[in-house]
Amino acid sequence: MQSLQDKLDAARVQFGKFLRNWRKSNDWSVTTAQDWAKACPGLIPWPLRVAGGQWGNLENSKVLQPQPSTFIQLAVLNECLAQEERGAIKDRLLRDRVQRAKPVLHADGRPWGAEDWFACYIGKLEGPAELWPCQEEIDAEAETKRLRSLFDQALELVGLRPVSAAMQVLRKAGDLPMEQVVAIENALFAGERLGPALVPIAREAVHAWVREVAPELEPSEPLSKAA
């Protein structure tokens, strides 16, 4: 039976993919919402902006315990789009992107509020069908074993110390919370099972490292690549 934590992890991954789909459907970059707030502080106060780094971390499932303000920020942004309040934006590219953007709505036309964004984050609400990602079925135990095997093969081929190699892998993963850093280290060194939400992050990091140090070992088919 899937544990509650696994379910929450999977929901966090789906939320990130959904947020990415929404952003891309609006032709936004991860900094567009922040740029809009900077251009129109009277419309979106600076403390209620969704910062670019924050948006990227949400998309990539790197925010383990978001603050309530995160969902309020998304709700304020969404409400401005729903009410067609765009403000006076001087930059043409930004203005065009904001003007064309569509809010996230319920089936009855109501814009998502903070409680809806939170419900989506914990897996209690799905977004509109045209934006909702196909859920990836991850066998976390099998994926962990594959990544550990690939890591060990690369170690043997290039002759690196395990600790040095693990540090290189983690650099490929970017800025991760310490909890996720420890989990990837434990998976590579001790074979501990990765959580479903962490599998795609670890997989991308290990594959990027292998491409750099031992490209001949990189699998020809990405392992369980997300839809």
Side-chain angles (χ1 to χ4, degrees):
M1 181 180 294
Q2 189 180 31
S3 70
L4 175 60
Q5 187 58 56
D6 283 350
K7 290 179 180 179
L8 291 173
D9 286 346
R12 189 169 73 247
V13 171
Q14 285 295 96
F15 179 88
K17 292 178 181 178
F18 165 60
L19 194 64
R20 180 180 290 115
N21 287 348
W22 181 45
R23 173 177 64 79
K24 288 186 174 181
S25 74
N26 287 329
D27 191 30
W28 284 15
S29 72
V30 293
T31 64
T32 298
Q34 175 179 299
D35 294 339
W36 185 13
K38 185 176 181 180
C40 303
L43 185 63
I44 304 175
W46 193 244
L48 293 180
R49 76 194 185 284
V50 185
Q54 177 188 9
W55 194 298
N57 286 335
L58 286 169
E59 284 191 1
N60 292 309
S61 311
K62 293 182 179 181
V63 182
L64 301 183
Q65 295 180 326
Q67 297 297 315
S69 58
T70 297
F71 306 107
I72 295 173
Q73 290 165 346
L74 288 168
V76 168
L77 178 71
N78 198 52
E79 181 68 21
C80 287
L81 293 175
Q83 298 299 325
E84 298 188 356
E85 296 178 353
R86 301 298 197 265
I89 304 173
K90 295 180 180 179
D91 182 85
R92 181 176 179 179
L93 177 59
L94 177 62
R95 183 172 66 249
D96 288 347
R97 284 179 167 174
V98 172
Q99 289 287 355
R100 292 195 303 265
K102 303 295 183 183
V104 176
L105 304 173
H106 288 282
D108 62 5
R110 290 179 297 114
W112 274 25
E115 69 282 2
D116 300 309
W117 288 103
F118 176 71
C120 182
Y121 184 82
I122 62 173
K124 298 298 184 182
L125 178 65
E126 291 187 2
E130 65 273 15
L131 296 175
W132 194 247
C134 296
Q135 186 161 6
E136 180 184 9
E137 294 294 334
I138 292 177
D139 184 338
E141 185 171 355
E143 288 284 357
T144 301
K145 289 179 180 178
R146 290 188 186 109
L147 291 176
R148 172 65 189 272
S149 176
L150 182 60
F151 179 74
D152 287 345
Q153 289 177 58
L155 279 181
E156 184 176 352
L157 183 64
V158 301
L160 282 172
R161 294 175 55 206
V163 172
S164 299
M167 290 178 63
Q168 293 177 9
V169 170
L170 289 167
R171 281 197 290 270
K172 298 294 184 183
D175 186 18
L176 297 177
M178 183 54 62
E179 179 180 336
Q180 293 185 346
V181 169
V182 171
I184 292 176
E185 288 179 340
N186 289 340
L188 296 178
F189 292 147
E192 291 188 11
R193 184 180 70 88
L194 291 162
L198 196 50
V199 166
I201 296 172
R203 183 171 57 211
E204 183 177 345
V206 170
H207 281 217
W209 174 71
V210 168
R211 280 196 299 271
E212 184 174 291
V213 302
E216 61 270 38
L217 293 179
E218 186 184 10
S220 56
E221 293 292 334
L223 300 178
S224 301
K225 190 173 181 180

